Amino acid sequence: MNRRTFLGKAGLIGTGLAALQPFPSVLGANQKIRLAIMGTNGRGTGASPASKMRKSPSSAIPTNAPSRKP
Amino acid sequence: MKASADIQGKEPEGLEDFRTILDRSDWDALVIAAPNHWHAPATILGCQAGKHVYVEKPASQNAWEGQLAVEAARKYDRIVQVGMQRRSLDAFQQGIQMIHDGAIGKVHFARAWYANSRGGIGKGEPADIPDWLDYELWQGPAPEHPFQSNLIHYNWHWFWHWGNGELGNNGIHSLDVCRWGLQVDCPTSVTSTGGRYHFDDDQQTPDTNIVAFDFGHATITWEGRSCQNHPIEGTTFGVAFYGTEGTMIMDSGSFKIMDPKNQLVSEVKGDGSDTQHLQNFLDCIRSGERPTGDIEIGHKSTMLCHLGNIAYRTGHTLHLNPDTGKILDDPAAEALLRKEYRPGWTPKV
């Protein structure tokens, strides 16, 4: 299942538009950067220091399996 | 989740599938810390969705998708940082600049190494998929493979189906530093020797491995010992540059210089934290500048891992045209530059 199929099944729309829309190249100096972290079992926790840096991004941790030690 | 909540003072939003954020404009960047077979495909999906990407090393699981990841970053004008943290460390930037400025003369040989004391992974058996695991999504772009007991969470590194062995796991870090110091891109030849010697188990990738890259005027070697951790130069991870007027030894975050009589003449200490590299990523999102570990740099360094693994798997010495990066007269080796994908999952830019 590719991304388009997945999103179709999920009932979301607008997937084709994403590739056509111009994206902003840079963010403002004071604009919050929102990070999504993709990883399982704590992989990606190395990125957590980012959330205490001076730019204070917020973060989400989308995982394809719950974090759990083997 | 808890660690992030503790730091930022609010609970992060947890999702089971990262693709649900791709069409959400409230997310700016994607950090990819999934297994290797996800690195390039997720990078490409992220760029196409307008996200800046921090992808852990290696930049790809094979050469073909790695090149696509570079193309995606450029086509969609996204910041893509590869997790080769030493590119952003003050001590490493200083040390490499000193090499470029001639501090140890002309350098014709760089040596990289990694040593650990990993155990065996045993013989896997068919097993029920744990109820906490979405194995379908975990496999993602990798061809369907039955679940087995000794795969998740870490041992996938040691199967060619999902991983890149120790060379792609830890060799990438030191090979990147070697390539940076010598200012080289593509070798003219690659040889590899070694094997899975320590344990009779399912591991396909070598636990003992020597890879040599010839660049015409200089050579890089990588020594990997996954199951024998005796250090070299006092460190289990390191890089040495041997120059006509001295030697530089680098460990995880520090370096020292010896003169031709092997007397210490300079030493700079630092740590190997990820923080500077992540900060550089965030700074570049704001400035639009290329990050220190830009995807093109990461792809070139990752290519050394791919070539080393291809030389190991074929048992061939690879010969390359360094201007084009093409492997010469070796169809078996060329075939390993890419892989098959699960139907519907082949990356496209």
Side-chain angles (χ1 to χ4, degrees):
Chain A
M1 179 169 54
N2 62 22
R3 176 179 170 239
R4 186 178 299 273
T5 306
F6 165 80
L7 291 171
K9 287 185 176 179
L12 301 178
I13 59 173
T15 56
L17 293 176
L20 300 175
Q21 293 170 338
F23 307 118
S25 294
V26 297
L27 294 179
N30 298 317
Q31 202 170 336
K32 186 173 287 188
I33 297 173
R34 286 151 300 189
L35 297 177
I37 303 175
M38 172 191 180
T40 55
N41 191 44
R43 285 177 65 80
T45 52
S48 62
S51 39
K52 60 183 176 183
M53 290 177 191
R54 55 188 161 87
K55 303 295 168 31
S56 299
S58 61
S59 66
I61 306 182
T63 60
N64 56 14
S67 295
R68 178 168 147 174
K69 296 294 180 187
Chain B
M1 296 283 279
K2 183 179 184 309
S4 291
D6 290 345
I7 291 170
Q8 66 182 12
K10 68 175 184 180
E11 188 78 18
E13 181 182 356
L15 301 169
E16 290 189 357
D17 190 326
F18 83 101
R19 293 172 297 179
T20 57
I21 72 153
L22 293 180
D23 281 341
R24 281 174 54 176
S25 61
D26 54 341
W27 294 102
D28 304 302
L30 176 64
V31 177
I32 301 166
N36 294 8
H37 65 278
W38 261 111
H39 287 185
T43 296
I44 294 165
L45 289 174
C47 289
Q48 288 172 331
K51 312 304 179 194
H52 302 289
V53 174
Y54 183 106
V55 58
E56 282 295 354
K57 50 70 192 172
S60 61
Q61 203 209 354
N62 65 74
W64 178 79
E65 65 182 19
Q67 180 59 40
L68 285 187
V70 176
E71 292 173 16
R74 298 296 179 258
K75 180 176 180 178
Y76 298 99
D77 192 23
R78 297 296 87 188
I79 303 298
V80 180
Q81 174 87 296
V82 181
M84 305 176 304
Q85 300 91 327
R86 287 155 191 83
R87 288 272 177 174
S88 296
L89 296 180
D90 292 337
F92 272 64
Q93 291 178 348
Q94 180 182 347
I96 295 296
Q97 188 61 53
M98 291 176 72
I99 290 174
H100 294 173
D101 291 342
I104 58 171
K106 292 183 178 178
V107 182
H108 298 297
F109 177 39
R111 179 189 192 191
W113 65 89
Y114 176 79
N116 203 335
S117 54
R118 303 186 192 279
I121 67 170
K123 304 275 191 181
E125 297 179 353
D128 292 335
I129 298 169
D131 58 7
W132 46 265
L133 176 67
D134 183 345
Y135 185 57
E136 178 81 5
L137 184 56
W138 186 92
Q139 293 186 95
E144 185 76 28
H145 191 286
F147 185 76
Q148 63 189 67
S149 59
N150 62 345
L151 176 63
I152 294 174
H153 282 294
Y154 196 78
N155 290 336
W156 52 263
H157 277 294
W158 322 127
F159 296 88
W160 298 120
H161 196 77
W162 303 281
N164 298 89
E166 200 74 89
L167 190 59
N169 189 30
N170 280 291
I172 175 65
H173 286 300
S174 49
L175 286 173
D176 177 59
V177 175
C178 291
R179 204 178 64 73
W180 185 17
L182 294 179
Q183 301 180 86
V184 295
D185 289 336
C186 179
T188 58
S189 72
V190 182
T191 60
S192 174
T193 186
R196 177 55 165 165
Y197 299 139
H198 284 261
F199 298 95
D200 178 18
D201 59 11
D202 285 345
Q203 181 164 330
Q204 298 169 336
T205 63
D207 58 40
T208 306
N209 195 199
I210 303 283
V211 187
F213 305 89
D214 182 7
F215 292 87
H217 66 288
T219 288
I220 294 173
T221 63
W222 182 74
E223 174 178 331
R225 282 180 281 112
S226 298
C227 305
Q228 211 286 358
N229 69 349
H230 184 78
I232 296 172
E233 298 280 2
T235 178
T236 54
F237 171 93
V239 175
F241 291 99
Y242 299 96
T244 55
E245 297 173 34
T247 303
M248 179 180 288
I249 308 294
M250 309 183 100
D251 61 19
S252 291
S254 306
F255 73 88
K256 57 186 178 182
I257 296 177
M258 275 73 67
D259 66 15
K261 295 181 179 178
N262 293 314
Q263 299 300 304
L264 181 67
V265 294
S266 179
E267 186 168 18
V268 173
K269 291 189 178 295
D271 65 42
S273 161
D274 293 347
T275 304
Q276 287 173 268
H277 204 50
L278 287 154
Q279 185 65 62
N280 174 257
F281 174 59
L282 300 177
D283 289 344
C284 289
I285 290 174
R286 297 177 184 283
S287 70
E289 294 177 4
R290 292 272 168 84
T292 56
D294 176 64
I295 182 66
E296 190 169 347
I297 294 171
H299 176 56
K300 288 177 179 176
S301 295
T302 298
M303 276 303 303
L304 296 186
C305 303
H306 294 327
L307 293 170
N309 281 333
I310 291 171
Y312 174 80
R313 295 175 72 181
T314 59
H316 300 173
T317 292
L318 308 184
H319 298 279
L320 298 102
N321 179 331
D323 295 325
T324 64
K326 300 288 186 185
I327 296 174
L328 303 175
D329 304 323
D330 193 335
E334 285 185 80
L336 294 175
L337 289 171
R338 66 168 290 173
K339 67 177 186 184
E340 295 302 315
Y341 293 86
R342 193 140 49 133
W345 283 92
T346 303
K348 295 176 184 173
V349 175

